[in-house]
Amino acid sequence: MEKLLSLLADGHFHSGEELGEVLGISRAAVWKKLKALEGLGLSLDSVRGKGYRLGQGIELLDQARIEAELDRALSKSIKLHTCFSTSSTNDLVKELSDGQPGNLTFCLAEHQTSGRGRRGRTWVSPFGSTISMSANWRISEGTASLEGLSLAVGLAVLKALEANGARNLELKWPNDVLWQGKKLSGILLEVHGDPTGECDVIIGIGINIKLSEEQRKGIGQPAVDLYQVCGKTVSRNAVVAQLINTLSHMLEGFSHGGFALYKDQWSEHNAFRGQEVTIETAGRKERGLNAGVNEQGGLLIETETGIKVFNGGEVSLRKS
């Protein structure tokens, strides 16, 4: 399957005979593999006399290219793994982590079958059209030291996307990157281990790179991709390398100074600063003005009875 995709990734037509010859299989076997690609959500064009091609060219993950663009200062503390398909990159990175404090393990997949979003939602990751990446970060200071981390990760994602040409991006508390009110990227943090000692933080990041109209509709909420934001095709591999660099440097800073180091930068991109919003938590709703965040990453809401602080958990934010 992977070799067939590599052949079709250029977006040009390839005859069944040519594909069979390169793959060393019959034309009937080629046809079966092509049908399997359609099962992954890929669009195939078939034209008599020309052959087959992907409806739109696709850039496959290239681990060697990504590693070549990583900061040399980071290379010794980073372990990178890319794969064709997995149930969840969050689960995979947990299995592959070396467990050394300070080291970072990154896993990327062309496709996830059971990607997770916040509050039990499914993260939709069409094959080759998104970045599905997870990082495992081991710390020794317990969960209290992680306050505001999801916000800092969101800022790192935003900065990496800006480095690849994106503009006018905003941050929705606690962990979404938006463009014109539509979701471009989402973040999910999972913590495993001792709440007061060593624990593993798994950082899951999903970024929409180039989605078809059908894929966009299947997401279930207003979504946008980097192709729309930048007005041109952006290399997935370049985005991944920049993302790993930016995130790694941010985590190094966070380990010393926490979210306080990033509070002002995050606030500059706050999508709903000064606007009336509705907070939903534990089945209750509260309305007030978005007054920004504190140094622990808590959301400040100005209500009729004063400023209230909301911290993570089952909290959603909707513009009133």
Side-chain angles (χ1 to χ4, degrees), residues 227-295:
Y227 178 81
Q228 291 175 284
V229 172
C230 296
K232 62 180 181 180
T233 298
V234 181
S235 166
R236 289 172 77 215
N237 289 295
V239 173
V240 167
Q242 186 63 53
L243 183 57
I244 292 175
N245 287 334
T246 304
L247 183 62
S248 300
H249 285 299
M250 184 282 294
L251 291 174
E252 176 66 21
F254 192 95
S255 66
H256 296 292
F259 178 68
L261 293 177
Y262 306 98
K263 173 181 173 291
D264 290 344
Q265 289 185 70
W266 193 96
S267 298
E268 291 175 7
H269 299 281
N270 185 350
F272 299 113
R273 180 67 182 264
Q275 299 182 37
E276 188 171 351
V277 296
T278 300
I279 293 295
E280 297 181 24
T281 178
R284 296 181 298 174
K285 293 183 179 182
E286 184 118 29
R287 182 172 295 180
L289 292 180
N290 183 326
V293 295
N294 61 21
E295 292 194 348

Side-chain angles (χ1 to χ4, degrees), residues 107-280:
C107 286
L108 294 114
E110 299 286 5
H111 177 247
Q112 291 186 110
T113 57
S114 303
R116 297 192 293 276
R118 287 187 68 233
R119 306 179 71 177
R121 298 188 183 97
T122 298
W123 177 266
V124 179
S125 53
F127 191 98
S129 303
T130 67
I131 289 172
S132 297
M133 184 180 86
S134 296
N136 191 101
W137 184 41
R138 173 158 288 192
I139 62 168
S140 304
E141 295 77 23
T143 55
S145 66
L146 301 175
E147 292 180 329
L149 179 59
S150 65
L151 279 71
V153 171
L155 179 63
V157 173
L158 181 146
K159 294 296 184 182
L161 295 177
E162 284 186 336
N164 280 275
R167 296 292 180 267
N168 302 316
L169 301 181
E170 296 180 308
L171 295 166
K172 176 185 174 184
W173 185 91
N175 51 11
D176 287 346
V177 180
L178 307 179
W179 183 75
Q180 296 186 1
K182 297 179 180 179
K183 188 169 180 176
L184 175 62
S185 173
I187 296 150
L188 176 69
L189 266 58
E190 298 177 353
V191 182
H192 305 273
D194 186 347
T196 60
E198 279 199 356
C199 58
D200 289 308
V201 186
I202 297 178
I203 303 167
I205 299 172
I207 303 173
N208 298 325
I209 298 296
K210 191 174 184 181
L211 304 173
S212 67
E213 186 64 29
E214 184 178 351
Q215 289 169 341
R216 200 173 296 115
K217 288 179 180 178
I219 291 177
Q221 61 178 299
V224 70
D225 58 29
L226 201 56
Y227 178 81
Q228 291 175 284
V229 172
C230 296
K232 62 180 181 180
T233 298
V234 181
S235 166
R236 289 172 77 215
N237 289 295
V239 173
V240 167
Q242 186 63 53
L243 183 57
I244 292 175
N245 287 334
T246 304
L247 183 62
S248 300
H249 285 299
M250 184 282 294
L251 291 174
E252 176 66 21
F254 192 95
S255 66
H256 296 292
F259 178 68
L261 293 177
Y262 306 98
K263 173 181 173 291
D264 290 344
Q265 289 185 70
W266 193 96
S267 298
E268 291 175 7
H269 299 281
N270 185 350
F272 299 113
R273 180 67 182 264
Q275 299 182 37
E276 188 171 351
V277 296
T278 300
I279 293 295
E280 297 181 24

Side-chain angles (χ1 to χ4, degrees), residues 70-148:
L70 296 182
D71 289 353
R72 289 186 178 181
L74 301 171
S75 59
K76 291 184 179 180
S77 61
I78 285 178
K79 178 182 178 182
L80 178 63
H81 176 80
T82 61
C83 67
F84 184 74
S85 181
T86 187
S87 58
S88 165
T89 55
N90 273 21
D91 293 339
L92 183 60
V93 80
K94 185 180 178 183
E95 295 175 14
L96 296 175
S97 175
D98 61 15
Q100 295 299 313
N103 284 2
L104 282 164
T105 301
F106 290 90
C107 286
L108 294 114
E110 299 286 5
H111 177 247
Q112 291 186 110
T113 57
S114 303
R116 297 192 293 276
R118 287 187 68 233
R119 306 179 71 177
R121 298 188 183 97
T122 298
W123 177 266
V124 179
S125 53
F127 191 98
S129 303
T130 67
I131 289 172
S132 297
M133 184 180 86
S134 296
N136 191 101
W137 184 41
R138 173 158 288 192
I139 62 168
S140 304
E141 295 77 23
T143 55
S145 66
L146 301 175
E147 292 180 329

